[in-house]
Amino acid sequence: MNYNDEEFQELNFQNDRNIQINENIFEEPFTACECVLCTKSNLGENGKSIVDELRKIDNELIGKVTDNAIYSIMARYYQDTIRGPSQRHSPELEMPYLMAQDFKNHFMFHDMNPKRMLKEDITFLNDAQEFLKKNGIVTENTTNGAKKINMGYMKQWNILSKTKLDLIRYYTTHYSESDESKQSATKPQEFSNF
């Protein structure tokens, strides 16, 4: 095996050098594109913009269905309640046709939701724990069959578990209470017996 092949060049740290870290290092090359949701979201008759209505859908569904399902619902909502009626009443008005990918791009990169970011962090930590569970927390000696716990992996498991628990507590404290208050506001009033 020749370690001078291109596939092994990545492993040669002698060619690496330190660089100065700043925010520009993480920026992707700029490509000019126009987000219709950012630039053309006018206020409706109710005083809310299209993005406000979509944000409401996003907040209500995060953590209950997949993100792709949310973007599909947004696309259908836009087609049925915004674009369709506008085209019927004002055919000369050019309303853009938006697909789920357009909503995904907007809500992933332009209008980020902290609730989604927190949910993704919790999911990532859970996946990392599953990886540790499947790939080495418990090892077996191939000669005598004795099993033992890999303490290095166990330490990582505990760190992930504590961090995940902290994030879950934060999520339930900040987002579950607001969801409950929204639900209780829409319930009918109860009266005590006279």
Side-chain angles (χ1 to χ4, degrees):
M1 185 177 284
N2 185 2
Y3 290 102
N4 292 324
D5 292 339
E6 284 183 35
E7 62 186 280
F8 293 104
Q9 290 301 312
E10 294 177 25
L11 301 176
N12 184 356
F13 296 110
Q14 295 172 351
N15 295 332
D16 292 348
R17 63 184 168 99
N18 293 332
I19 61 171
Q20 184 69 31
I21 298 290
N22 62 37
E23 61 274 357
N24 296 336
I25 197 168
F26 299 108
E27 289 182 7
E28 293 184 23
F30 176 73
T31 55
C33 65
E34 182 178 318
C35 176
V36 174
L37 294 169
C38 287
T39 59
K40 307 228 188 277
S41 182
N42 298 350
L43 292 178
E45 292 176 8
N46 59 359
K48 291 187 174 188
S49 70
I50 295 168
V51 174
D52 290 337
E53 297 294 329
L54 295 171
R55 230 181 256 129
K56 184 177 174 186
I57 292 170
D58 195 37
N59 280 324
E60 288 177 7
L61 296 177
I62 288 177
K64 297 176 184 168
V65 298
T66 65
D67 288 346
N68 287 335
I70 293 172
Y71 304 131
S72 295
I73 290 168
M74 288 178 178
R76 194 168 48 242
Y77 172 82
Y78 171 77
Q79 289 301 115
D80 294 346
T81 58
I82 297 165
R83 186 176 189 272
S86 293
Q87 293 293 296
R88 280 192 300 276
H89 298 296
S90 303
E92 71 283 352
L93 183 65
E94 288 189 33
M95 291 288 292
Y97 182 82
L98 300 176
M99 299 184 302
Q101 184 63 39
D102 298 311
F103 296 98
K104 181 177 183 175
N105 289 339
H106 178 77
F107 283 95
M108 292 294 288
F109 302 109
H110 306 159
D111 194 351
M112 293 176 277
N113 190 323
K115 188 176 178 181
R116 174 176 286 111
M117 297 167 91
L118 191 56
K119 177 198 69 115
E120 288 173 358
D121 286 347
I122 293 168
T123 303
F124 173 78
L125 291 170
N126 190 61
D127 292 344
Q129 282 184 300
E130 287 298 316
F131 176 82
L132 288 176
K133 188 184 341 179
K134 291 177 184 174
N135 295 294
I137 282 193
V138 178
T139 58
E140 181 178 20
N141 186 312
T142 55
T143 56
N144 63 12
K147 293 177 178 64
K148 69 177 184 176
I149 293 178
N150 181 329
M151 294 310 288
Y153 275 33
M154 199 62 187
K155 183 178 179 181
Q156 292 300 316
W157 174 279
N158 285 333
I159 292 168
L160 292 170
S161 184
K162 288 177 185 177
T163 305
K164 184 173 79 171
L165 185 58
D166 288 342
L167 291 177
I168 289 170
R169 283 184 187 135
Y170 183 87
Y171 186 91
T172 55
T173 301
H174 287 81
Y175 296 112
S176 292
E177 289 176 1
S178 64
D179 289 345
E180 289 172 9
S181 66
K182 288 178 188 174
Q183 290 174 358
S184 64
T186 60
K187 290 182 181 178
Q189 293 292 325
E190 295 180 8
F191 296 98
S192 60
N193 293 336
F194 292 100

